[in-house]
Amino acid sequence: MKTWLSCKDSVIRLTLHVQPGAKKTDLAGEHGGALKLRLAAPPVEGKANAMLLAWLAERFEVPKRDVVLLSGDKSRHKIVEIKLALDEAAVLACLGL
């Protein structure tokens, strides 16, 4: 199991290292026990967080209300929870890993 991923009780929890202000939004491998994600949004006024949640909702094909930022509102290190019952292999497939 990946250290940045937890699948339990119909909830997926991801530990992310987010790099805002990138040219395009994409995954960039692992970084310090977290999944690194480059975001094409500036880190101002919550724009990067909004883009992160929208991107994850689109990837996992769930409504935005089912993707919640648990911690890291003003940090690059974030923990996100997605209300969806998937196993690790399905999560990795959704992320394209």
Side-chain angles (χ1 to χ4, degrees):
M1 176 158 276
K2 303 286 186 182
T3 58
W4 47 265
L5 172 63
S6 168
C7 303
K8 186 177 176 185
D9 300 329
S10 300
V11 173
I12 299 163
R13 190 169 283 179
L14 300 172
T15 302
L16 303 170
H17 177 82
V18 177
Q19 177 187 345
K23 289 185 180 182
K24 67 177 188 168
T25 299
D26 65 352
L27 293 170
E30 293 184 30
H31 178 82
L35 180 62
K36 185 173 181 179
L37 177 64
R38 294 185 182 115
L39 286 177
V44 294
E45 299 175 7
K47 290 182 181 182
N49 287 337
M51 178 178 241
L52 168 66
L53 300 179
W55 187 83
L56 288 170
E58 183 180 319
R59 279 292 180 122
F60 287 95
E61 298 178 353
V62 297
K64 288 180 190 176
R65 69 178 176 269
D66 289 345
V67 183
V68 179
L69 181 61
L70 296 179
S71 70
D73 183 46
K74 297 190 185 295
S75 169
R76 287 181 178 227
H77 184 79
K78 301 182 184 298
I79 298 177
V80 177
E81 188 172 86
I82 304 165
K83 295 175 187 165
L84 186 63
L86 292 178
D87 63 8
E88 181 179 349
V91 170
L92 294 176
C94 285
L95 293 171
L97 300 175

